[in-house]
Every structure is written in structure tokens, then in C-alpha cells.
Amino acid sequence: MKGRKVIELNKKVLAVGVFTAGLASFAQYASATEYPLTLENCGRTLTLDQAPNRVVSLGQSSTELLYLLGLADRVVGTAVWIGPVNEQFRDVNATIPRLADNDPSFESVVGQKPDMVATQFQWHIGPNGKVGTIDQFAELSIPVYTAPADCLGKDNTTGGDGTRIDAFSMDQIYQGIDDLSKIFDVEERGAELIADFKAREKAAREKVAAVNGKGISALFWFSSAEIDVDPFVAGQKGAPAYVMSILGVDNVIDSDDEWPTVGWETIARTNPDIIAIGKMDRRRFPADDWELKMQFLKSDPVTSQMSAVKSGNIVVMDAQSMNPTMRTIEGIETLAKAIEAFEATQ
């Protein structure tokens, strides 16, 4: 048995070595950016003559992605924050002007004299953007890069959060990483980051497979306009649907809308095994507060009878990992742990 353990250990060391070598090889052959750079972004052609030096980032996911790529020194302003910045970027983020917690003004953005704006959502900068339109920024020779996750396979002309025509996948996040790494000529960092995310996704799948976690059902509750009205829950085409699908979990909501409102009595009849509730600092709605969500689930005559509530299979999840962002990978890992815990109690 002792010899067998040594063999198994050697296999693990070899596997780690191969994976690390793979990352190094992937990064080694990433080519340097040649300018002018032209790429397709959300149905339009974006051309940059050089790597931007002054970037305003609208959207926490876009901002943290720039930080992960080692570009914090290029960021001259941020806005649209859902929760606390990732712990590893707390110090550097504190040195960068926050133009607004939510929607900044057009004047505050251009006042930072950016040579590019990165936006997470088209409803901030788009055809009818709350901050401004792409044409308005173009008049000032400021290019706008939009996160692919908010436009690929999605119609944002319908108002609100838009309508997702095709299901979200992490490939949209990977394209965003690849695009930004080319724009800023940091393609090695981008390649390493994509490889790391893919490895984490694979590890989460293997964790669920190890406990035979398929066939479990789940509900993702983001928020509600009022605590006791029909909640915004995850449909079949958004980020939570992707999280559930790759882990073999059944989504109890069959709507194709990204965040449909569904009555609690209807949800109770589906009786999900696991309920994931969104946690955020935003307070646009009372139910943005995860503790109020928890109190409601346990006290309401209908929701308190669901098996997930009775057995305590309620997962508090970062709301950003419920949106199509780079933190979706954390949502995958969080749900995988919840499945592991659920199976342990069966």
C-alpha cells in the first residue's frame, strides 16, 4: 500500500507539472499585438492605434478583469459597483477615482480624459445608454469596448436587461479576456487567465461527478421589487443556467427569459433541492439584502414548506456570480460545494 501511495503521489506531481507546462506553453506562443488593431465588438468594428493608457471602466466585472490582467495603472476611473472589490485589489482600487457607485454622468466619464471606455452593459453605453451613446463618445474620439457577455446572442433593444436569444456560456467571458489582452498587448496574461478559469471549471465538474451529484434541482433567486412579491429568478439562458447545466443540475424555472418573475406558489410546487440567494451591497430593491431573503424564506407560509428551506439547503452566493461576469466561475465553484454538502446529507 505504501508503494502504491508513492505511485499515486508521483502521478499527481506529474499532472501538476504537465498542467503548469501547458500554461507556460500557452502563454509562450501568445503573439504580441500589432497596431493599429481592429476587432469586432458587439456588432461594430473597433480600431485602436495603440494600447490605451487612460481607461474608464463602467461595471465591476470589467474593472476587476482589467485588474486581473495587470492593468490597474491604466484605469483612471470606475463606476457601477454591485459589491466589494475582490480582496486582492482592495488597496489599488482605493487609489482609483470612483465616479459613482451606480450610473455616472457622461461629463464625469469624459472629464477623466480617457482614451478608451470599457463598459460591462450596453444599457450604460449603447444605442440608448443611460451614461451616453457610442456616437457621443465617438464624437470625442473615445472608443468604447463592450463586454461580449452583454451583447453576443442578446437583444438589448427591448429595454431593461435585454433579451438573451442564445444561452450564455463562459466562452463569452473568455472572448472578453482575449479581446482586452490584445487591446492592451498583454496576451500572455490573458492566455494564462483563460487557462486558469478553464481548469477551475473542470475541477468543479469533477467534484460533482465524484459525489454523483446529477439529478439535483435548484432555484437561483437574485432579488425582488418588494420582499413579498414575485421574485426575479434565473431562467434557462443566463449565467445561472450555465452554472447549473455544466454541473448536471436541473433548473426548476423553464422560462427562456434571463430573469423572469415567477410566483412563490408556482416555485413551491417545483420544490427545488437547493436554493441559491444573491448577496450584494446594492440596495435598489429591499430584497437585495440577502438576510431579508433568508428571513422571508423561513417565515412565509408557502416558502417555509419547501424542502430546501426545511433542510437548510440555502446557499448565499455573490450576486455577481449570478450575472454573466468573470465571477461566474465562483458561482460554479459555490454550487459544486453546495451539491457536495447536499449529497452528504442524503
mmCIF file of all heavy atoms in Angstrom, residues 120-161:
data_model
loop_
_atom_site.group_PDB
_atom_site.id
_atom_site.type_symbol
_atom_site.label_atom_id
_atom_site.label_comp_id
_atom_site.label_asym_id
_atom_site.label_seq_id
_atom_site.Cartn_x
_atom_site.Cartn_y
_atom_site.Cartn_z
ATOM 1 N N GLN A 120 -19.471 47.274 -19.104
ATOM 2 C CA GLN A 120 -19.971 45.917 -18.898
ATOM 3 C C GLN A 120 -21.350 45.730 -19.515
ATOM 4 O O GLN A 120 -21.675 44.638 -19.974
ATOM 5 C CB GLN A 120 -20.028 45.626 -17.392
ATOM 6 C CG GLN A 120 -20.419 44.197 -17.034
ATOM 7 C CD GLN A 120 -20.337 43.968 -15.531
ATOM 8 O OE1 GLN A 120 -19.607 44.664 -14.826
ATOM 9 N NE2 GLN A 120 -21.077 43.005 -15.034
ATOM 10 N N PHE A 121 -22.147 46.814 -19.536
ATOM 11 C CA PHE A 121 -23.522 46.716 -20.009
ATOM 12 C C PHE A 121 -23.815 47.755 -21.084
ATOM 13 O O PHE A 121 -23.453 48.924 -20.940
ATOM 14 C CB PHE A 121 -24.509 46.922 -18.851
ATOM 15 C CG PHE A 121 -24.333 45.967 -17.708
ATOM 16 C CD1 PHE A 121 -23.835 46.399 -16.494
ATOM 17 C CD2 PHE A 121 -24.670 44.626 -17.847
ATOM 18 C CE1 PHE A 121 -23.678 45.522 -15.432
ATOM 19 C CE2 PHE A 121 -24.509 43.740 -16.792
ATOM 20 C CZ PHE A 121 -24.014 44.185 -15.581
ATOM 21 N N GLN A 122 -24.534 47.331 -22.130
ATOM 22 C CA GLN A 122 -24.923 48.273 -23.172
ATOM 23 C C GLN A 122 -25.948 49.283 -22.674
ATOM 24 O O GLN A 122 -26.085 50.352 -23.266
ATOM 25 C CB GLN A 122 -25.493 47.517 -24.383
ATOM 26 C CG GLN A 122 -24.420 46.906 -25.271
ATOM 27 C CD GLN A 122 -24.962 46.470 -26.606
ATOM 28 O OE1 GLN A 122 -26.063 45.943 -26.698
ATOM 29 N NE2 GLN A 122 -24.185 46.679 -27.661
ATOM 30 N N TRP A 123 -26.661 48.960 -21.611
ATOM 31 C CA TRP A 123 -27.636 49.941 -21.149
ATOM 32 C C TRP A 123 -26.964 51.139 -20.473
ATOM 33 O O TRP A 123 -27.596 52.146 -20.225
ATOM 34 C CB TRP A 123 -28.710 49.311 -20.268
ATOM 35 C CG TRP A 123 -28.310 48.753 -18.943
ATOM 36 C CD1 TRP A 123 -27.798 47.516 -18.709
ATOM 37 C CD2 TRP A 123 -28.425 49.382 -17.669
ATOM 38 N NE1 TRP A 123 -27.576 47.337 -17.360
ATOM 39 C CE2 TRP A 123 -27.963 48.473 -16.696
ATOM 40 C CE3 TRP A 123 -28.887 50.630 -17.247
ATOM 41 C CZ2 TRP A 123 -27.928 48.768 -15.339
ATOM 42 C CZ3 TRP A 123 -28.856 50.923 -15.885
ATOM 43 C CH2 TRP A 123 -28.375 49.994 -14.950
ATOM 44 N N HIS A 124 -25.648 51.045 -20.232
ATOM 45 C CA HIS A 124 -24.903 52.225 -19.791
ATOM 46 C C HIS A 124 -24.370 53.004 -20.986
ATOM 47 O O HIS A 124 -24.522 54.226 -21.054
ATOM 48 C CB HIS A 124 -23.752 51.813 -18.865
ATOM 49 C CG HIS A 124 -24.201 51.494 -17.478
ATOM 50 N ND1 HIS A 124 -23.958 50.284 -16.869
ATOM 51 C CD2 HIS A 124 -24.903 52.223 -16.574
ATOM 52 C CE1 HIS A 124 -24.491 50.287 -15.659
ATOM 53 N NE2 HIS A 124 -25.074 51.446 -15.462
ATOM 54 N N ILE A 125 -23.705 52.306 -21.903
ATOM 55 C CA ILE A 125 -23.257 52.925 -23.148
ATOM 56 C C ILE A 125 -23.683 52.017 -24.290
ATOM 57 O O ILE A 125 -23.179 50.899 -24.438
ATOM 58 C CB ILE A 125 -21.729 53.136 -23.184
ATOM 59 C CG1 ILE A 125 -21.265 53.983 -21.995
ATOM 60 C CG2 ILE A 125 -21.323 53.797 -24.501
ATOM 61 C CD1 ILE A 125 -19.773 54.189 -21.931
ATOM 62 N N GLY A 126 -24.613 52.499 -25.073
ATOM 63 C CA GLY A 126 -25.159 51.714 -26.173
ATOM 64 C C GLY A 126 -26.077 52.590 -26.997
ATOM 65 O O GLY A 126 -26.018 53.828 -26.917
ATOM 66 N N PRO A 127 -26.953 51.974 -27.775
ATOM 67 C CA PRO A 127 -27.862 52.758 -28.614
ATOM 68 C C PRO A 127 -28.681 53.770 -27.822
ATOM 69 O O PRO A 127 -28.952 54.875 -28.299
ATOM 70 C CB PRO A 127 -28.754 51.686 -29.254
ATOM 71 C CG PRO A 127 -27.914 50.453 -29.250
ATOM 72 C CD PRO A 127 -27.105 50.530 -27.994
ATOM 73 N N ASN A 128 -29.087 53.385 -26.607
ATOM 74 C CA ASN A 128 -29.862 54.287 -25.746
ATOM 75 C C ASN A 128 -29.267 54.315 -24.340
ATOM 76 O O ASN A 128 -29.980 54.233 -23.347
ATOM 77 C CB ASN A 128 -31.325 53.835 -25.685
ATOM 78 C CG ASN A 128 -31.982 53.813 -27.045
ATOM 79 O OD1 ASN A 128 -32.129 54.847 -27.686
ATOM 80 N ND2 ASN A 128 -32.376 52.628 -27.508
ATOM 81 N N GLY A 129 -27.953 54.416 -24.260
ATOM 82 C CA GLY A 129 -27.259 54.300 -22.986
ATOM 83 C C GLY A 129 -27.624 55.380 -21.978
ATOM 84 O O GLY A 129 -27.811 56.546 -22.338
ATOM 85 N N LYS A 130 -27.722 54.992 -20.710
ATOM 86 C CA LYS A 130 -28.039 55.949 -19.642
ATOM 87 C C LYS A 130 -26.889 56.928 -19.428
ATOM 88 O O LYS A 130 -27.104 58.085 -19.062
ATOM 89 C CB LYS A 130 -28.330 55.209 -18.337
ATOM 90 C CG LYS A 130 -29.635 54.438 -18.314
ATOM 91 C CD LYS A 130 -29.988 53.972 -16.920
ATOM 92 C CE LYS A 130 -30.335 55.144 -16.028
ATOM 93 N NZ LYS A 130 -30.826 54.706 -14.695
ATOM 94 N N VAL A 131 -25.651 56.466 -19.630
ATOM 95 C CA VAL A 131 -24.495 57.343 -19.481
ATOM 96 C C VAL A 131 -24.261 58.126 -20.767
ATOM 97 O O VAL A 131 -23.953 59.318 -20.745
ATOM 98 C CB VAL A 131 -23.246 56.524 -19.110
ATOM 99 C CG1 VAL A 131 -22.010 57.417 -19.052
ATOM 100 C CG2 VAL A 131 -23.454 55.816 -17.775
ATOM 101 N N GLY A 132 -24.414 57.466 -21.894
ATOM 102 C CA GLY A 132 -24.222 58.089 -23.201
ATOM 103 C C GLY A 132 -24.285 57.048 -24.293
ATOM 104 O O GLY A 132 -24.381 55.843 -24.022
ATOM 105 N N THR A 133 -24.239 57.507 -25.521
ATOM 106 C CA THR A 133 -24.250 56.589 -26.663
ATOM 107 C C THR A 133 -22.844 56.438 -27.206
ATOM 108 O O THR A 133 -21.956 57.262 -26.935
ATOM 109 C CB THR A 133 -25.164 57.107 -27.786
ATOM 110 O OG1 THR A 133 -24.606 58.323 -28.319
ATOM 111 C CG2 THR A 133 -26.577 57.371 -27.253
ATOM 112 N N ILE A 134 -22.651 55.394 -27.983
ATOM 113 C CA ILE A 134 -21.338 55.174 -28.604
ATOM 114 C C ILE A 134 -21.008 56.344 -29.519
ATOM 115 O O ILE A 134 -19.851 56.766 -29.595
ATOM 116 C CB ILE A 134 -21.369 53.849 -29.380
ATOM 117 C CG1 ILE A 134 -21.611 52.726 -28.409
ATOM 118 C CG2 ILE A 134 -20.128 53.683 -30.236
ATOM 119 C CD1 ILE A 134 -20.886 51.506 -28.468
ATOM 120 N N ASP A 135 -22.018 56.878 -30.207
ATOM 121 C CA ASP A 135 -21.789 58.014 -31.107
ATOM 122 C C ASP A 135 -21.317 59.246 -30.343
ATOM 123 O O ASP A 135 -20.450 59.992 -30.824
ATOM 124 C CB ASP A 135 -23.064 58.338 -31.891
ATOM 125 C CG ASP A 135 -23.392 57.282 -32.942
ATOM 126 O OD1 ASP A 135 -22.484 56.498 -33.285
ATOM 127 O OD2 ASP A 135 -24.545 57.238 -33.401
ATOM 128 N N GLN A 136 -21.887 59.469 -29.158
ATOM 129 C CA GLN A 136 -21.461 60.620 -28.363
ATOM 130 C C GLN A 136 -19.987 60.524 -27.990
ATOM 131 O O GLN A 136 -19.250 61.515 -28.041
ATOM 132 C CB GLN A 136 -22.305 60.726 -27.094
ATOM 133 C CG GLN A 136 -23.699 61.274 -27.311
ATOM 134 C CD GLN A 136 -24.498 61.323 -26.016
ATOM 135 O OE1 GLN A 136 -24.786 60.281 -25.430
ATOM 136 N NE2 GLN A 136 -24.841 62.515 -25.568
ATOM 137 N N PHE A 137 -19.551 59.325 -27.615
ATOM 138 C CA PHE A 137 -18.136 59.140 -27.284
ATOM 139 C C PHE A 137 -17.268 59.211 -28.533
ATOM 140 O O PHE A 137 -16.147 59.732 -28.491
ATOM 141 C CB PHE A 137 -17.932 57.815 -26.543
ATOM 142 C CG PHE A 137 -18.355 57.860 -25.102
ATOM 143 C CD1 PHE A 137 -19.617 57.442 -24.710
ATOM 144 C CD2 PHE A 137 -17.497 58.354 -24.137
ATOM 145 C CE1 PHE A 137 -20.010 57.502 -23.385
ATOM 146 C CE2 PHE A 137 -17.878 58.415 -22.792
ATOM 147 C CZ PHE A 137 -19.149 57.993 -22.416
ATOM 148 N N ALA A 138 -17.800 58.698 -29.656
ATOM 149 C CA ALA A 138 -17.044 58.733 -30.912
ATOM 150 C C ALA A 138 -16.785 60.171 -31.354
ATOM 151 O O ALA A 138 -15.729 60.476 -31.938
ATOM 152 C CB ALA A 138 -17.796 57.969 -31.998
ATOM 153 N N GLU A 139 -17.734 61.074 -31.100
ATOM 154 C CA GLU A 139 -17.552 62.483 -31.452
ATOM 155 C C GLU A 139 -16.353 63.090 -30.729
ATOM 156 O O GLU A 139 -15.757 64.059 -31.202
ATOM 157 C CB GLU A 139 -18.820 63.272 -31.113
ATOM 158 C CG GLU A 139 -19.992 62.973 -32.039
ATOM 159 C CD GLU A 139 -21.268 63.666 -31.590
ATOM 160 O OE1 GLU A 139 -21.214 64.395 -30.559
ATOM 161 O OE2 GLU A 139 -22.308 63.480 -32.247
ATOM 162 N N LEU A 140 -16.007 62.507 -29.578
ATOM 163 C CA LEU A 140 -14.856 62.968 -28.814
ATOM 164 C C LEU A 140 -13.638 62.067 -29.031
ATOM 165 O O LEU A 140 -12.645 62.158 -28.297
ATOM 166 C CB LEU A 140 -15.203 63.012 -27.321
ATOM 167 C CG LEU A 140 -16.348 63.949 -26.937
ATOM 168 C CD1 LEU A 140 -16.688 63.804 -25.452
ATOM 169 C CD2 LEU A 140 -15.990 65.396 -27.254
ATOM 170 N N SER A 141 -13.736 61.178 -30.040
ATOM 171 C CA SER A 141 -12.653 60.238 -30.392
ATOM 172 C C SER A 141 -12.294 59.320 -29.232
ATOM 173 O O SER A 141 -11.120 58.992 -29.011
ATOM 174 C CB SER A 141 -11.404 61.007 -30.862
ATOM 175 O OG SER A 141 -11.702 61.783 -31.998
ATOM 176 N N ILE A 142 -13.325 58.901 -28.473
ATOM 177 C CA ILE A 142 -13.129 57.965 -27.369
ATOM 178 C C ILE A 142 -13.764 56.631 -27.752
ATOM 179 O O ILE A 142 -14.995 56.523 -27.811
ATOM 180 C CB ILE A 142 -13.764 58.479 -26.061
ATOM 181 C CG1 ILE A 142 -13.174 59.839 -25.668
ATOM 182 C CG2 ILE A 142 -13.560 57.462 -24.927
ATOM 183 C CD1 ILE A 142 -13.873 60.496 -24.483
ATOM 184 N N PRO A 143 -12.956 55.610 -28.041
ATOM 185 C CA PRO A 143 -13.531 54.296 -28.375
ATOM 186 C C PRO A 143 -14.151 53.632 -27.157
ATOM 187 O O PRO A 143 -13.713 53.862 -26.021
ATOM 188 C CB PRO A 143 -12.329 53.507 -28.888
ATOM 189 C CG PRO A 143 -11.145 54.154 -28.254
ATOM 190 C CD PRO A 143 -11.495 55.608 -28.080
ATOM 191 N N VAL A 144 -15.180 52.833 -27.392
ATOM 192 C CA VAL A 144 -15.889 52.125 -26.326
ATOM 193 C C VAL A 144 -15.804 50.627 -26.591
ATOM 194 O O VAL A 144 -16.144 50.166 -27.689
ATOM 195 C CB VAL A 144 -17.363 52.560 -26.247
ATOM 196 C CG1 VAL A 144 -18.107 51.722 -25.213
ATOM 197 C CG2 VAL A 144 -17.475 54.043 -25.922
ATOM 198 N N TYR A 145 -15.341 49.876 -25.599
ATOM 199 C CA TYR A 145 -15.332 48.415 -25.692
ATOM 200 C C TYR A 145 -16.398 47.865 -24.759
ATOM 201 O O TYR A 145 -16.422 48.187 -23.563
ATOM 202 C CB TYR A 145 -13.971 47.829 -25.307
ATOM 203 C CG TYR A 145 -13.988 46.313 -25.339
ATOM 204 C CD1 TYR A 145 -13.849 45.618 -26.532
ATOM 205 C CD2 TYR A 145 -14.206 45.574 -24.171
ATOM 206 C CE1 TYR A 145 -13.914 44.235 -26.586
ATOM 207 C CE2 TYR A 145 -14.274 44.186 -24.211
ATOM 208 C CZ TYR A 145 -14.129 43.529 -25.417
ATOM 209 O OH TYR A 145 -14.213 42.154 -25.465
ATOM 210 N N THR A 146 -17.299 47.027 -25.305
ATOM 211 C CA THR A 146 -18.393 46.444 -24.528
ATOM 212 C C THR A 146 -18.129 44.974 -24.272
ATOM 213 O O THR A 146 -17.714 44.243 -25.180
ATOM 214 C CB THR A 146 -19.726 46.594 -25.293
ATOM 215 O OG1 THR A 146 -19.922 47.971 -25.625
ATOM 216 C CG2 THR A 146 -20.893 46.101 -24.451
ATOM 217 N N ALA A 147 -18.366 44.511 -23.052
ATOM 218 C CA ALA A 147 -18.161 43.103 -22.708
ATOM 219 C C ALA A 147 -19.034 42.225 -23.606
ATOM 220 O O ALA A 147 -20.253 42.428 -23.676
ATOM 221 C CB ALA A 147 -18.505 42.865 -21.246
ATOM 222 N N PRO A 148 -18.442 41.246 -24.298
ATOM 223 C CA PRO A 148 -19.217 40.378 -25.202
ATOM 224 C C PRO A 148 -20.372 39.665 -24.513
ATOM 225 O O PRO A 148 -21.393 39.378 -25.151
ATOM 226 C CB PRO A 148 -18.173 39.379 -25.709
ATOM 227 C CG PRO A 148 -16.874 40.086 -25.581
ATOM 228 C CD PRO A 148 -17.007 40.940 -24.355
ATOM 229 N N ALA A 149 -20.238 39.387 -23.215
ATOM 230 C CA ALA A 149 -21.292 38.655 -22.495
ATOM 231 C C ALA A 149 -22.605 39.422 -22.462
ATOM 232 O O ALA A 149 -23.663 38.839 -22.228
ATOM 233 C CB ALA A 149 -20.834 38.338 -21.074
ATOM 234 N N ASP A 150 -22.551 40.736 -22.707
ATOM 235 C CA ASP A 150 -23.788 41.519 -22.681
ATOM 236 C C ASP A 150 -24.370 41.766 -24.066
ATOM 237 O O ASP A 150 -25.395 42.425 -24.178
ATOM 238 C CB ASP A 150 -23.558 42.865 -21.995
ATOM 239 C CG ASP A 150 -24.877 43.572 -21.670
ATOM 240 O OD1 ASP A 150 -25.718 42.950 -20.981
ATOM 241 O OD2 ASP A 150 -25.068 44.712 -22.113
ATOM 242 N N CYS A 151 -23.722 41.245 -25.100
ATOM 243 C CA CYS A 151 -24.267 41.520 -26.433
ATOM 244 C C CYS A 151 -24.319 40.291 -27.331
ATOM 245 O O CYS A 151 -25.195 40.213 -28.205
ATOM 246 C CB CYS A 151 -23.490 42.636 -27.115
ATOM 247 S SG CYS A 151 -21.747 42.267 -27.376
ATOM 248 N N LEU A 152 -23.429 39.333 -27.163
ATOM 249 C CA LEU A 152 -23.445 38.159 -28.029
ATOM 250 C C LEU A 152 -24.692 37.319 -27.765
ATOM 251 O O LEU A 152 -24.961 36.926 -26.634
ATOM 252 C CB LEU A 152 -22.196 37.303 -27.800
ATOM 253 C CG LEU A 152 -20.869 37.908 -28.259
ATOM 254 C CD1 LEU A 152 -19.731 36.922 -28.018
ATOM 255 C CD2 LEU A 152 -20.920 38.296 -29.732
ATOM 256 N N GLY A 153 -25.475 37.066 -28.817
ATOM 257 C CA GLY A 153 -26.691 36.277 -28.661
ATOM 258 C C GLY A 153 -27.726 36.951 -27.799
ATOM 259 O O GLY A 153 -28.549 36.290 -27.160
ATOM 260 N N LYS A 154 -27.712 38.302 -27.788
ATOM 261 C CA LYS A 154 -28.617 39.042 -26.909
ATOM 262 C C LYS A 154 -29.142 40.280 -27.623
ATOM 263 O O LYS A 154 -28.398 40.948 -28.357
ATOM 264 C CB LYS A 154 -27.876 39.435 -25.625
ATOM 265 C CG LYS A 154 -28.754 40.042 -24.548
ATOM 266 C CD LYS A 154 -27.931 40.380 -23.313
ATOM 267 C CE LYS A 154 -28.810 41.032 -22.241
ATOM 268 N NZ LYS A 154 -27.998 41.587 -21.153
ATOM 269 N N ASP A 155 -30.418 40.580 -27.409
ATOM 270 C CA ASP A 155 -31.048 41.761 -27.984
ATOM 271 C C ASP A 155 -31.265 42.784 -26.871
ATOM 272 O O ASP A 155 -32.103 42.582 -25.991
ATOM 273 C CB ASP A 155 -32.390 41.376 -28.630
ATOM 274 C CG ASP A 155 -33.104 42.570 -29.247
ATOM 275 O OD1 ASP A 155 -32.523 43.681 -29.244
ATOM 276 O OD2 ASP A 155 -34.243 42.389 -29.728
ATOM 277 N N ASN A 156 -30.494 43.869 -26.896
ATOM 278 C CA ASN A 156 -30.596 44.882 -25.857
ATOM 279 C C ASN A 156 -31.487 46.056 -26.253
ATOM 280 O O ASN A 156 -31.500 47.077 -25.564
ATOM 281 C CB ASN A 156 -29.199 45.391 -25.482
ATOM 282 C CG ASN A 156 -28.415 44.373 -24.679
ATOM 283 O OD1 ASN A 156 -28.956 43.714 -23.802
ATOM 284 N ND2 ASN A 156 -27.136 44.231 -24.979
ATOM 285 N N THR A 157 -32.237 45.909 -27.343
ATOM 286 C CA THR A 157 -33.139 46.975 -27.765
ATOM 287 C C THR A 157 -34.508 46.848 -27.108
ATOM 288 O O THR A 157 -35.367 47.714 -27.276
ATOM 289 C CB THR A 157 -33.318 46.976 -29.295
ATOM 290 O OG1 THR A 157 -33.972 45.760 -29.700
ATOM 291 C CG2 THR A 157 -31.978 47.100 -29.996
ATOM 292 N N THR A 158 -34.702 45.776 -26.354
ATOM 293 C CA THR A 158 -36.022 45.519 -25.755
ATOM 294 C C THR A 158 -36.202 46.210 -24.421
ATOM 295 O O THR A 158 -37.255 46.103 -23.800
ATOM 296 C CB THR A 158 -36.232 44.000 -25.567
ATOM 297 O OG1 THR A 158 -35.193 43.481 -24.734
ATOM 298 C CG2 THR A 158 -36.178 43.276 -26.908
ATOM 299 N N GLY A 159 -35.179 46.908 -23.946
ATOM 300 C CA GLY A 159 -35.280 47.602 -22.666
ATOM 301 C C GLY A 159 -34.882 46.723 -21.494
ATOM 302 O O GLY A 159 -34.751 45.496 -21.623
ATOM 303 N N GLY A 160 -34.686 47.361 -20.330
ATOM 304 C CA GLY A 160 -34.316 46.610 -19.131
ATOM 305 C C GLY A 160 -33.004 45.875 -19.312
ATOM 306 O O GLY A 160 -32.019 46.425 -19.808
ATOM 307 N N ASP A 161 -32.993 44.610 -18.903
ATOM 308 C CA ASP A 161 -31.787 43.790 -19.031
ATOM 309 C C ASP A 161 -31.616 43.211 -20.427
ATOM 310 O O ASP A 161 -30.652 42.489 -20.679
ATOM 311 C CB ASP A 161 -31.834 42.640 -18.013
ATOM 312 C CG ASP A 161 -31.644 43.140 -16.588
ATOM 313 O OD1 ASP A 161 -30.963 44.169 -16.417
ATOM 314 O OD2 ASP A 161 -32.185 42.523 -15.657
#
